[in-house]
Amino acid sequence: QVQLVESGGGLVQTGGSLRLSCAASGRTSRYYDMAWFRQAPGKEREFVADISASGNWTNYKDAVKGRFTISRDNSAKTTVYLQMNSLKPEDTAVYYCARKGRNGPYEYWGQGTQVTVSS
């Protein structure tokens, strides 16, 4: 069973930075695309960024382009990062790490980490 554990959330002022981490259990996650999603209070969960298994390509939600960077380290177990700069109050949400399954869709999810940006 794949387990994803996020960390790095917290409270930050507008314009500040945070780095989220997602540690995946086992050794198979290195072969799958992974992503970050977020869910703000009263809103649906939305895509933020994803990264290919090799790390060679990435994709971002328009609202975070130029401010967020997704990366991954497959050297031992797989860890995926989300570097968030120039944070805005509208970035406040619970951030979730996800991994694709064999059939394509994102099947595995972490428990989430809270990011709060104060104005």
Side-chain angles (χ1 to χ4, degrees), residues 33-97:
D33 298 349
M34 297 186 68
W36 288 96
F37 290 76
R38 68 186 181 187
Q39 187 168 20
K43 296 186 177 181
E44 294 187 353
R45 186 161 55 189
E46 64 178 7
F47 167 83
V48 176
D50 62 3
I51 186 167
S52 63
S54 64
N56 287 342
W57 59 257
T58 58
N59 187 39
Y60 296 92
K61 174 182 174 65
D62 285 347
V64 307
K65 285 181 180 177
R67 299 189 297 122
F68 291 11
T69 303
I70 188 170
S71 61
R72 68 188 293 162
D73 180 359
N74 289 333
S75 58
K77 292 185 177 181
T78 295
T79 302
V80 178
Y81 303 97
L82 186 67
Q83 177 66 44
M84 307 186 294
N85 299 328
S86 302
L87 283 161
K88 305 175 181 181
E90 51 264 43
D91 295 319
T92 295
V94 177
Y95 283 71
Y96 297 91
C97 175

